[in-house]
Amino acid sequence: MKLLLTLFFEFFKTGLFSSGGGMATLPFRYDMGERHPDWFTPAQLADMIAVSESTPGPIGVNMATYVGFRTAGVLGGLFATIGLITPSVIVVLLIARALKEFRSNPYVDAAFYGLRPCSIGLIAAAGLLVVRIALFHWDALGGGAGWWKYFFNWKALILAAVLLVFTRGVKATKKLHPIVFILASAAAGVVFSF
Amino acid sequence: MTLLKLFAAFMRVGVLTFGGGYAMIPILEREVIDRNGWATHEELMDYYAVGQCTPGIIAVNTGTFVGYKVAGVAGSVVATVGVVLPSFLIITVIAGIIQNFADIPAVKSAFAGIRVCVCVLIFNSVIKLWKSAIKDKAALVLCLAVFALSIFFDISPIIFVVLCGAAGILLTRLGVRGK
């Protein structure tokens, strides 16, 4: 029960302090993983992001259910999900009556002027941690002669370069749904034994 | 009856939205405006805009707004549960399956490949957000400061959120914004 309540509370905090949708809950997940190392590893978190992107529903909700399930089974998923959405419902109900006033309130507008760059900085920093485990062998860093040969995960770096070209450069594939790239990457992982 | 309709409509939104955010708009429009006439186009865009400027998941926020308008507090709860339920069921099944197959070498390789893709997806969404939000020097400095501090120090994201909200108000009052 204590674990379930901790899950609820952790995700309540995420729901209350993250804004901007999609990846915005990611930095909170990392913070959570650091404080509860027995819940999930950074590598598992990256897998959760992939699954959340490839299944229907809002990414934040998918990730909450996933983390909760991994940590404490079906009930864990339930408590985490409810924790995540409770602040949303409360806040929205509070402002629903005064929607126009809220939108045009200069303080709200000014606060979000500061929150948007904050959200981007946090997501980028959390993304760097995924980069660290996916593209490099961090533990080889500075370990003996020729360590740099093992430091770079060459196969992964090449795949990343190819994906960047197809998701940003090539017009025909740019607009494809992320699930296409996720499946292609899974296939590449198996074929070239990553 | 209205509650049931709300529940079914938002469940469809939950099932048909891949990835959330803007992907949700066409489906929301069909369910909320075309099929049920619960809100006008302007109202829905207002909900959506405010949903982005309130804490939490945008899909949940929008669902709560529409549900509240149609059937009060009960409506908001029903719409929210509707939008979340498909995710919950699907992810629970998938997470259970993955847990059982995670030790197979081919599955490990597949996920190692997928992680590379996740890096690229995060990078792309950072670029997209950057283009829409970093429009002046103060925002640039704020973003880089948060990025650097959260890499080198173990600070809770909550602290950054609270400080940046305050910084936004302060910078606007000082007239630094937009320069």
Side-chain angles (χ1 to χ4, degrees):
Chain A
M1 195 63 208
K2 194 172 165 249
L3 178 60
L4 293 179
L5 287 180
T6 313
L7 270 171
F8 177 87
F9 195 66
E10 283 290 349
F11 280 90
F12 188 91
K13 280 196 288 189
T14 305
L16 190 59
F17 288 100
S18 69
S19 61
M23 295 286 182
T25 65
L26 179 62
F28 290 85
R29 284 308 93 80
Y30 263 109
D31 180 53
M32 213 181 271
E34 276 174 1
R35 281 179 297 109
H36 303 281
D38 49 323
W39 284 9
F40 50 83
T41 64
Q44 284 166 339
L45 185 57
D47 301 346
M48 292 179 205
I49 299 168
V51 173
S52 305
E53 286 259 21
S54 327
T55 44
I59 296 172
V61 176
N62 292 348
M63 273 209 260
T65 308
Y66 203 147
V67 172
F69 182 88
R70 278 215 67 112
T71 311
V74 178
L75 271 181
L78 190 67
F79 272 70
T81 309
I82 295 175
L84 180 75
I85 61 177
T86 305
S88 281
V89 176
I90 295 172
V91 170
V92 169
L93 284 179
L94 285 177
I95 63 165
R97 280 159 233 247
L99 187 64
K100 289 264 177 319
E101 288 80 354
F102 181 84
R103 242 199 118 173
S104 52
N105 185 302
Y107 286 100
V108 172
D109 179 64
F112 272 90
Y113 165 70
L115 286 179
R116 277 181 221 109
C118 175
S119 193
I120 299 169
L122 288 175
I123 297 171
L128 213 58
L129 292 165
V130 183
V131 167
R132 207 171 115 163
I133 54 164
L135 306 184
F136 302 96
H137 298 295
W138 210 258
D139 33 326
L141 188 65
W147 59 270
W148 49 272
K149 278 187 220 154
Y150 308 101
F151 178 63
F152 297 102
N153 185 345
W154 293 109
K155 287 179 198 169
L157 284 166
I158 291 167
L159 177 61
V162 171
L163 286 168
L164 271 178
V165 169
F166 280 108
T167 55
R168 306 199 60 82
V170 182
K171 237 191 182 142
T173 54
K174 235 162 126 171
K175 298 270 175 209
L176 287 176
H177 193 277
I179 195 170
V180 176
F181 300 110
I182 289 173
L183 290 176
S185 306
V190 176
V191 172
F192 300 105
S193 54
F194 271 43
Chain B
M1 198 56 218
T2 315
L3 288 179
L4 214 63
K5 264 191 175 167
L6 261 175
F7 183 75
F10 276 92
M11 211 162 133
R12 280 194 291 271
V13 173
V15 173
L16 296 173
T17 307
F18 266 83
Y22 289 103
M24 200 174 60
I25 291 181
I27 299 153
L28 262 181
E29 283 180 341
R30 201 180 65 206
E31 292 296 336
V32 173
I33 304 171
D34 305 342
R35 274 200 176 170
N36 294 297
W38 284 326
T40 64
H41 191 81
E42 283 72 39
E43 279 176 319
L44 190 62
M45 285 302 113
D46 273 354
Y47 294 154
Y48 199 78
V50 178
Q52 286 181 301
C53 309
T54 41
I57 311 297
I58 300 173
V60 173
N61 295 347
T62 312
T64 310
F65 271 125
V66 176
Y68 180 76
K69 196 205 162 200
V70 176
V73 176
S76 69
V77 172
V78 164
T80 305
V81 173
V83 89
V84 168
L85 193 62
S87 287
F88 176 73
L89 296 176
I90 293 167
I91 292 288
T92 301
V93 171
I94 290 182
I97 293 172
I98 289 177
Q99 216 160 29
N100 290 329
F101 293 97
D103 291 329
I104 299 169
V107 175
K108 280 189 180 158
S109 298
F111 273 104
I114 286 173
R115 267 173 231 147
V116 177
C117 188
V118 171
C119 295
V120 174
L121 292 177
I122 296 175
F123 177 77
N124 287 345
S125 71
V126 166
I127 298 291
K128 203 168 123 195
L129 289 168
W130 179 283
K131 280 182 185 158
S132 73
I134 310 293
K135 293 196 167 136
D136 55 34
K137 280 188 197 129
L140 176 72
V141 170
L142 213 54
C143 182
L144 294 179
V146 169
F147 177 68
L149 285 172
S150 78
I151 287 177
F152 293 113
F153 298 97
D154 190 13
I155 308 171
S156 162
I158 296 174
I159 310 270
F160 286 115
V161 168
V162 172
L163 289 179
C164 286
I169 294 172
L170 191 70
L171 290 168
T172 307
R173 298 219 85 180
L174 290 174
V176 181
R177 185 175 176 175
K179 283 178 191 161

